[in-house]
Amino acid sequence: MQIHLVDATYELFRAHYAPRPAVLGHDGVPLSGVSGLVEQLIYLLRDEGATHVACATDRVIESFRNDLYAGYKSSAGMPPELLAQFPIAEAAIEALGIVLWPMVEFEADDAIGAACGVFDGAPGVERILVCTPDKDMAQLVRGSAVVLWDRRRRIVYDEAGVIEKWGVLPASIPDWLALVGDSSDGFPGLPGWGAKSAAAVLSRYGSLEDIPARASAWDVSVRSAPSLAATLRDQLTDALLYRSLAHLRTVSDGVPIKQSSPEELRWNGAPRETWQAFCDAWGLAALRNRPHRWREA
């Protein structure tokens, strides 16, 4: 079997900002994000043949990382009409009969990372597809058993693909992000370090701690190496913090993944009464009969 793990927060954002006619529910409530998310999930199940699926969401945008770093991403400045769709999106996922992992202390990315740890190598699991293009999720890739799937571009990144795209092994992605920064998550990286220089050094040394403190000890050619080495020496504490922000947590860290068997992720159809009641409640008549398979009560 293949397991599809969906970053539903990403899909919600993408659908909300997609250049298409707005979807409005009862009393003009904006539901473009919810509608687009549902459409993507139904397409995944119907046209792409997914059988074992789970969705992770950020029930709140803030997480434990905001306590570690004040500049980390938050809900500040987010459109209220988008924030209001988060609980509706979670209700839609559950009404479709799909396993939902709503995160509060942790993030959706952590839930997916923790799930990979639970289900990778489980009996019957041939491959796990992490359904998101986010580069920080590339750290989860393992050979061809756990892959990153950019569904919009139709690109699958296995280990070789991660190396080709970002220049480092999956395990070094948090170190790479610590050096180059991640604007979507709100941490800057180290001055002077770019994607190419970080990839060149980390492809040789693997982790921040293993990079020699002096550029004279580097056996890899990088432009402005003495300056980069000095910056890393002076700002190593910052770099380690940024790596911690980028590092995904697991079940052992407390990420709440209730399921332990892959069969608990099997989608057996949408419960008709539940789904149609959800659509009626929110004014999503166009989605009322969209599921292609029903699970009668």
Side-chain angles (χ1 to χ4, degrees), residues 52 76 91 120 138 154 177-178 191 226 246:
H52 296 70
D120 180 23
R154 315 303 300 173
L177 289 169

Side-chain angles (χ1 to χ4, degrees), residues 68-69 178 190 208 231-245:
L68 297 178
Y69 182 65
L190 301 190
L208 298 175
T231 297
L232 182 56
R233 286 197 308 273
D234 295 342
Q235 300 185 37
L236 180 60
T237 299
D238 289 337
L240 294 174
L241 170 60
Y242 301 152
R243 185 179 66 182
S244 178
L245 297 175

Side-chain angles (χ1 to χ4, degrees), residues 7-8 23 27 31 35 40 84 90 134 146 154 169 181 193 217 220:
D7 182 348
V23 177
D27 300 321
L31 293 175
S35 176
Q40 283 299 310
E90 291 181 349
D134 288 353
V146 180
R154 315 303 300 173
L169 288 165
W193 283 88
V220 58

Side-chain angles (χ1 to χ4, degrees), residues 13-22 32 152:
F13 270 74
R14 178 186 165 198
H16 177 77
Y17 289 109
R20 65 175 189 172
S32 295
R152 184 166 64 90

Side-chain angles (χ1 to χ4, degrees), residues 131-266:
C131 302
T132 175
D134 288 353
K135 57 184 175 292
D136 53 346
M137 302 293 273
Q139 66 187 273
L140 299 174
V141 171
R142 186 181 70 81
S144 58
V146 180
V147 299
L148 192 66
W149 187 19
D150 184 339
R151 295 177 61 232
R152 184 166 64 90
R153 296 182 177 87
R154 315 303 300 173
I155 301 174
V156 174
Y157 296 100
D158 58 8
E159 185 170 303
V162 170
I163 295 171
E164 181 179 357
K165 175 70 174 179
W166 290 285
V168 296
L169 288 165
S172 295
I173 288 290
D175 300 80
W176 184 82
L177 289 169
L179 294 175
V180 306
D182 190 340
S183 59
S184 63
D185 283 340
F187 59 89
L190 301 190
W193 283 88
K196 291 184 178 179
S197 57
V201 174
L202 287 170
S203 66
R204 169 63 181 85
Y205 297 110
S207 68
L208 298 175
E209 295 92 338
D210 291 332
I211 300 173
R214 302 287 174 180
S216 57
W218 293 4
D219 56 6
V220 58
S221 178
V222 178
R223 185 178 179 180
S224 303
S227 175
L228 295 177
T231 297
L232 182 56
R233 286 197 308 273
D234 295 342
Q235 300 185 37
L236 180 60
T237 299
D238 289 337
L240 294 174
L241 170 60
Y242 301 152
R243 185 179 66 182
S244 178
L245 297 175
H247 176 69
L248 299 180
R249 276 29 180 201
T250 67
V251 169
S252 64
D253 298 309
V255 181
I257 301 296
K258 296 180 180 179
Q259 295 76 14
S260 59
S261 166
E263 278 305 305
E264 294 179 85
L265 307 185
R266 181 181 289 277

